[in-house]
């Protein structure tokens, strides 16, 4: 009888220990998933930038707080040359590539989308809708004045700076 009780307690203890180690492994996976999601998820703080065109018109761009958008902020202030691409977007090349770790595989921009095209290392301001593009990373949205940007035909200069 004593042997049966000891065997039962040993088995019960073994199952309990196995269950606890299995649960802690699950929690570790959940914690890692949460950490990875936090690296790519937008932050709560809304950051806006001012884009000043060659004719002194201003546009306000709301960034989405992703890792790539935060890296873009670290480059400001900037003065860049913009040009039209495909009668859909204005593009400008950055002095260095942005950190795109954890970014989605692509993005479907709409009128007013502000994005980064990783293969070429350029910013893109969409003044017309465009279909899904691989390696296009959303950085934010032009809140006002996209039609002013669309009006430029030739190469032109833009200034980008943080708003307080």
């Amino acid at each position: 009888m004593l042997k049966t009780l000891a065997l039962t307690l040993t088995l019960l203890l073994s199952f309990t220990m196995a269950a606890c180690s299995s649960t802690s492994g699950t929690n570790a996976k959940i914690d890692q998933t949460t950490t990875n999601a936090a690296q790519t998820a937008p932050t709560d703080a809304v950051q806006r930038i001012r884009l000043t065109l060659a004719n002194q018109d201003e546009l306000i761009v709301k960034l989405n707080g992703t890792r790539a958008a935060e890296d873009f902020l670290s480059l400001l202030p900037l003065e860049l040359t913009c040009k039209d691409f495909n009668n859909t977007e204005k593009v400008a090349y950055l002095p260095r590539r942005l950190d795109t770790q954890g970014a989605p595989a692509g993005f479907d921009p709409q009128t007013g989308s502000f994005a980064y095209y990783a293969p070429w290392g350029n910013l893109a301001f969409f003044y017309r809708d465009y279909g899904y593009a691989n390696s296009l990373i959303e950085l934010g949205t032009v809140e006002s004045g996209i039609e002013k940007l669309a009006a430029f035909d030739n190469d032109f200069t833009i200034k980008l700076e943080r708003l307080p």
Side-chain angles (χ1 to χ4, degrees):
M1 176 81 168
L2 199 50
K3 286 183 181 181
T4 306
L5 182 58
L7 182 59
T8 303
L9 286 175
T10 302
L11 286 172
L12 184 59
L13 184 58
S14 296
F15 287 129
T16 303
M17 288 177 65
C20 286
S21 67
S22 173
T23 301
S24 66
T26 302
N27 286 342
K29 287 179 185 173
I30 290 171
D31 290 345
Q32 184 60 41
T33 301
T34 303
T35 300
N36 290 342
Q39 292 173 352
T40 59
T43 61
D44 291 335
V46 173
Q47 181 66 51
R48 287 182 171 79
I49 61 171
R50 176 183 302 121
L51 187 151
T52 305
L53 302 173
N55 66 0
Q56 300 306 308
D57 281 344
E58 293 182 352
L59 288 71
I60 303 300
V61 180
K62 178 181 171 184
L63 299 181
N64 62 13
T66 58
R67 178 179 277 185
E70 291 296 322
D71 194 25
F72 167 70
L73 273 174
S74 74
L75 294 173
L76 298 182
L78 282 174
E79 188 168 311
L80 303 171
T81 300
C82 247
K83 61 182 174 180
D84 193 79
F85 185 76
N86 203 27
N87 291 320
T88 303
E89 63 190 282
K90 302 296 184 184
V91 299
Y93 291 88
L94 292 171
R96 70 164 171 80
R97 298 203 178 259
L98 297 181
D99 180 358
T100 60
Q101 183 178 359
F107 169 60
D108 181 7
Q110 308 298 313
T111 300
S113 291
F114 173 51
Y116 173 70
Y117 188 58
W120 295 351
N122 67 278
L123 298 177
F125 299 91
F126 287 87
Y127 60 90
R128 289 202 174 109
D129 287 354
Y130 189 77
Y132 179 88
N134 284 322
S135 301
L136 185 65
I137 299 164
E138 181 180 24
L139 298 176
T141 306
V142 177
E143 291 187 316
S144 64
I146 193 67
E147 68 284 348
K148 295 174 186 176
L149 187 67
F152 280 88
D153 290 329
N154 300 318
D155 293 3
F156 58 98
T157 303
I158 60 170
K159 292 179 186 174
L160 299 152
E161 59 191 340
R162 286 180 187 240
L163 285 176

